């Protein structure tokens, strides 16, 4: 049974990917420092798949601990690297934390791969590397523009680190540029668990609907979009997770065509903030309390993916629609409320 290391595997996208890997017959070991997730995610993964993943808790920014782990686990067939700080707003207040953590973790992993002959990595990247694209839908060949946050800049820098490291060493990498991952597993046993006040739209919507937040603030309705609110390409987290299994198998089966390959993970359809709110109200029957407030600094106006390369070359296509995303997010929020009240 091939063994895959999933860093950040107790996080939102990581946990959903661990489920898909196990259900595709892979042995999974998770490394996570639990700085933005909780250990009970492991039990919930096991409840879904019947398999408790191996787990070690330490900080991948620690070179010695990471080197030791990879030496002890030199039999892993590949690494899926999620572990990183990812809050856009926080990254503007603490840029050095973001550079140190996000770059050092990747460098430590690559050093260990070089030393132990581990040759495959899937890297968690983001459409934020594009900034505000000049042309839409945005393709993987679109120019990388100046980042609007240190978070986005770390993703750009990590892709460059991968580009030169895979040139110099027998390592293959696939960078997956996520658009906006939302929703939750159909069992409502795992989902997005923002600690504190959510930065992202959909957890704020569901927390407002459940009564944890009083009112959703819609950041600006003066964009040059049909209803004035900003447009994003929202994609179900399970579709994102499935793409990671496809990417790992592409490398394990020797199908990679370049040392570093880059794919957009989106649906190809853009939704405005008001579109998302209307979809949520429609599928749940809940009335959402929201108000329009000024734009959030750093937000781009609109972005959605050109998905042809991922569809044709990677052989992956998003299957779930906005209704699935809203319903699963709502089911997850209700399950959380039940757990917290019991
Ligand atoms: C979506 C839209 C907001 C909250 C970021 C990162 C990206 C990824 C996802 C990590 C925007 C609006 C939001 C709210 C609102 N992060 N909004 N009220 O900023 O597109 O992407 O998170 O992987 O890399 O860049 O996502 O969910 O924060 O915002 O009106 O309370 O919802 O202005 O238009 P974003 P988001």
């Amino acid at each position: 049974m091939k063994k895959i290391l999933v860093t950040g595997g107790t996080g939102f996208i990581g946990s959903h990917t661990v489920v898909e890997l196990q259900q595709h017959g892979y042995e999974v070991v998770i490394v996570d420092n639990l700085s933005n997730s909780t250990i009970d995610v492991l039990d919930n993964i096991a409840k879904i798949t019947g398999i408790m993943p191996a787990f070690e808790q330490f900080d991948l920014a620690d070179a010695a601990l990471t080197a030791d782990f990879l030496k002890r686990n030199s039999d892993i067939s590949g690494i899926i690297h999620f572990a990183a700080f990812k809050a856009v707003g926080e990254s503007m207040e603490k840029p050095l934390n973001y550079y140190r953590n996000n770059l050092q973790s990747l460098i430590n992993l690559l050093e260990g791969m070089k030393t132990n002959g581990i040759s495959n990595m899937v890297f968690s990247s983001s459409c934020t590397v594009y900034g505000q694209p000049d042309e839409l839908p945005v393709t993987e060949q679109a120019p990388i523009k100046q980042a609007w946050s240190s978070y986005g800049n770390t993703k750009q820098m990590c892709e460059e680190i991968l580009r030169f490291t895979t040139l110099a060493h027998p390592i293959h990498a696939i960078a997956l540029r996520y658009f906006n991952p939302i929703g939750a597993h159909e069992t409502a046993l795992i989902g997005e668990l923002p600690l504190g006040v959510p930065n992202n739209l959909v957890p704020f919507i569901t927390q407002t609907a459940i009564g944890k937040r009083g009112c959703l603030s819609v950041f600006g309705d003066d964009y040059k979009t049909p209803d004035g609110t900003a447009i994003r390409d929202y994609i179900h987290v399970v579709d994102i997770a499935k793409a990671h299994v496809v990417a790992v198998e592409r490398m394990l089966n020797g199908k990679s065509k370049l040392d570093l390959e880059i794919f957009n993970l989106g649906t190809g359809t853009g939704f405005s903030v008001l579109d998302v709110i209307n979809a949520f109200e429609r599928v749940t029957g809940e009335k959402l309390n929201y108000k329009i407030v000024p734009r959030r600094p750093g937000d781009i106006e609109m972005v959605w993916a050109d998905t042809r390369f991922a569809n044709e070359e990677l052989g992956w296509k998003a299957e779930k629609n906005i209704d699935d995303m809203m319903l699963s997010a709502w089911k997850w929020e209700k399950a959380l409320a039940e757990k917290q009240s019991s």
Side-chain angles (χ1 to χ4, degrees), residues 103 106 110 123 144 153-167 175 177 260 262:
L103 302 187
L106 175 63
L110 291 168
F123 175 70
I144 300 303
N153 191 211
T154 64
K155 290 300 181 185
Q156 292 172 335
M157 294 168 82
C158 283
E159 287 190 3
E160 289 302 285
I161 290 170
L162 287 171
R163 190 155 67 87
F164 286 101
T165 306
T166 56
L167 268 178
R177 291 176 179 165
L260 170 61
I262 295 176

Side-chain angles (χ1 to χ4, degrees), residues 30-316:
I30 294 174
V31 168
D32 202 302
N33 66 1
L34 300 181
S35 64
N36 193 27
S37 56
T38 56
I39 196 150
D40 65 333
V41 169
L42 298 175
D43 292 332
N44 294 326
I45 289 171
K47 279 182 196 152
I48 296 170
T49 64
I51 309 162
M52 176 61 79
F55 174 70
E56 288 196 31
Q57 179 180 357
F58 67 87
D59 191 339
L60 289 157
D62 181 312
L65 292 176
T66 304
D68 172 62
F69 173 86
L70 290 175
K71 187 164 175 243
R72 288 185 284 112
N73 291 273
S74 57
D75 60 331
I76 56 178
S77 302
I79 298 176
I80 304 182
H81 181 38
F82 292 105
F85 293 159
K86 61 155 201 158
V88 174
E90 183 189 51
S91 82
M92 299 305 279
E93 293 151 20
K94 303 173 184 170
L96 292 176
N97 292 13
Y98 272 67
Y99 288 115
R100 182 182 306 109
N101 184 63
N102 292 5
L103 302 187
Q104 195 58 59
S105 301
L106 175 63
I107 291 165
N108 291 343
L109 285 168
L110 291 168
E111 279 290 357
M113 292 172 76
K114 185 163 68 78
T115 308
N116 295 287
I118 300 165
S119 50
N120 301 304
M121 174 184 275
V122 178
F123 175 70
S124 168
S125 190
S126 168
C127 65
T128 201
V129 303
Y130 297 118
Q132 176 58 63
D134 298 326
E135 286 176 44
L136 290 169
V138 64
T139 72
E140 291 84 352
Q141 286 69 44
I144 300 303
K145 300 175 94 175
Q146 191 171 59
W148 290 37
S149 68
S150 73
Y151 159 73
N153 191 211
T154 64
K155 290 300 181 185
Q156 292 172 335
M157 294 168 82
C158 283
E159 287 190 3
E160 289 302 285
I161 290 170
L162 287 171
R163 190 155 67 87
F164 286 101
T165 306
T166 56
L167 268 178
H169 302 293
I171 292 173
H172 275 114
I174 292 180
L176 299 176
R177 291 176 179 165
Y178 315 150
F179 284 68
N180 284 59
I182 62 171
H185 194 264
E186 62 189 10
T187 59
L189 285 168
I190 53 175
E192 190 166 7
L193 201 57
L195 305 181
V197 179
N199 289 301
N200 295 127
L201 175 65
V202 171
F204 210 111
I205 287 176
T206 56
Q207 287 191 15
T208 302
I210 202 100
K212 277 178 80 171
R213 308 282 161 208
C215 175
L216 167 75
S217 296
V218 173
F219 297 138
D221 67 349
D222 56 352
Y223 288 102
K224 296 187 196 62
T225 60
D227 64 19
T229 62
I231 293 173
R232 297 289 185 276
D233 184 334
Y234 297 94
I235 177 167
H236 199 291
V237 63
V238 172
D239 279 327
I240 294 271
K242 290 178 187 288
H244 287 74
V245 180
V246 173
V248 162
E249 294 189 332
R250 178 180 176 86
M251 289 191 289
L252 296 188
N253 297 334
K255 297 275 192 293
S256 298
K257 292 180 180 167
L258 295 168
D259 296 325
L260 170 61
E261 293 182 304
I262 295 176
F263 296 98
N264 283 341
L265 295 188
T267 66
T269 303
F271 283 95
S272 72
V273 178
L274 291 178
D275 288 335
V276 175
I277 292 171
N278 295 336
F280 178 80
E281 291 184 329
R282 175 169 45 78
V283 299
T284 63
E286 298 291 327
K287 188 83 190 81
L288 198 71
N289 184 25
Y290 68 88
K291 62 184 176 188
I292 306 291
V293 300
R295 296 182 180 190
R296 176 172 68 176
D299 276 347
I300 62 162
E301 184 164 70
M302 54 180 143
V303 67
W304 58 92
D306 183 318
T307 60
R308 279 173 299 176
F309 191 53
N311 300 160
E312 293 156 14
E313 183 56 43
L314 187 57
W316 164 90

Side-chain angles (χ1 to χ4, degrees), residues 3-11 13-19 21 27-32 53-56 60 69 76 78-83 109 244 248:
K3 187 160 96 172
I4 303 292
L5 163 61
V6 178
T7 74
T10 54
I13 303 171
S15 55
H16 288 81
T17 302
V18 170
V19 165
L21 284 167
E27 181 190 347
V28 174
V29 53
I30 294 174
V31 168
D32 202 302
F55 174 70
E56 288 196 31
L60 289 157
F69 173 86
I76 56 178
I79 298 176
I80 304 182
H81 181 38
F82 292 105
L109 285 168
H244 287 74
V248 162

